[in-house]
Amino acid sequence: MTELSAFIEGMPKAELHMHIEGSLEPELMFDLAARNEIELPFKSVEEVRAAYQFTELQDFLDIYYQGMNVLITEQDFYDLTWAYLTKIHAQNVIHTEIFFDPQGHTDRGIAFKTVIDGISRALKDGEEKLGITSGLIMCFLRHLSEESALETLESALDHKDQIIGVGLDSSELGFPPAGFQRAFEKAKSEGFLLVAHAGEEGPPDYVRDALDLLKIDRLDHGNRALEDDSLVDRLVSEQMALTVCPLSNYKLAGVTDMRQHPIAKMLDLGLKATVNSDDPAYFGGYMNENYLAITDSLGLSKDQILTLARNGFDASFCIQERKQAMQDQLDKYAAEYNVG
Ligand code: HPA
Ligand code: ZN
C-alpha cells in the first residue's frame, strides 16, 4: 500500500450520497432470495456481477430495481443497512446520510413502515455500536407521478423523527425538477431538508431548476453544471455543495476516462465538491475506492483530499456541534501527517 492510499483509508470521512438499495451485494442478494424463497434470474454471484455492465443510467436502474425484489421483511432492510454500516466502519466513515426509495418497495406491496423501521433500527445500532452518526433521506422516484410522490410524503409524516430530508432520484432525462415543485414545497413546509439529483445526465437547466423551483439545500451529482459558466458562478457564490460520485460517473459512462473526471476542476473553480459512492455494490466500490480512483487518475495531493473530506463534513446535515467534532477529528488526523 502506498503512503497516499494509507492516508485515504485512515482518514475520517462523511458520505452524503448513497442509495441503501444500491449497497445490496450479490452475496446478500442470494441469502435474502433463499430466505424469502424468491427465484433469481441469475445462477451465481459471478453471474450477477457479470451483468453489471452499464452504458447509461437507465441500464443500471433496470437491474437495481430488479435487485431490490429480494427485500421483503423488516429484518431484510436491517441486514442490508447493517452490512453497509460495517463495511464503511472499516473504511473510517464516521457519518453517513443515506437515501432510500420507498416507492421501489411500496409499489411491490411492502409497507412503508417495514422499510423505514428496518433501516432506522440498523442506523441506531450503527451509532450505538460503531459510533457512526447518520441521517435518512427519502427519495421520490422521478419516473413516477407527482401524485405518487405526494402520497409517499404523506406516509412519511408518521415517521418524521426517522427522516431528515427528501430527495429526487431515478431516470433523469425527460423527468425535470419542475414536475416535483409541489411535493418539494410541501416537504419543506413539513420541515424536511431538500436535495435532488440533477446534472448527472440532465442538462444545466435541470440544475438551475433544482435550485430555483425545488429550493434544494444540496445538489446530488451536478456534473453537467460545468457546461454553464454562470451556473458555476452561482453554485460557488451560494456555496452549494455537490455530492459527486466518481465511480458511478465512470460506470454509467458520464465520464469515459477517469483521468478526465471533473472533480479536480470543480475544486479549482471553488465548488464545494464531496466524494460519495452512490451505489457501491453496483459501481465497484465504497468510499475509499472512490477516493483512491480519483487520487490515482487525477494525481490529487493530500491537501486536495483533505479539502474533499472537509467539504463532506461541512455539507452534512448534522448539528453544528457534531460537524465541529468531525472537523476536529480530521484536523488531528491531518496533523499526524503534517498536512492541512
Ligand atoms: N441516479 C439516479 N437514481 C438513482 C441512482 C443514480 O445514480 N442510484 C439509485 N437511484
Ligand atoms: Zn444517486
Side-chain angles (χ1 to χ4, degrees), residues 12-39:
K13 292 168 279 280
E15 171 143 75
L16 305 177
H17 183 154
M18 199 290 303
H19 304 261
I20 194 63
E21 297 90 347
S23 71
L24 177 63
E25 292 286 351
E27 290 80 1
L28 184 58
M29 192 189 289
F30 271 90
D31 288 351
L32 296 181
R35 189 153 99 188
N36 293 320
E37 298 179 351
I38 290 168
E39 186 130 13

Side-chain angles (χ1 to χ4, degrees), residues 72-75 77-78 100 102 105-106 109-121 136 152 155-156 158-159 161-163:
I72 308 285
T73 66
E74 195 254 17
Q75 189 63 41
F77 288 94
Y78 178 93
F100 75 118
H105 312 298
T106 52
I110 313 292
F112 189 97
K113 184 172 163 35
T114 301
V115 180
I116 196 159
D117 283 355
I119 298 172
S120 304
R121 185 160 63 85
L136 189 52
T152 304
S155 316
D158 293 337
H159 301 275
D161 56 329
Q162 291 161 288
I163 302 174

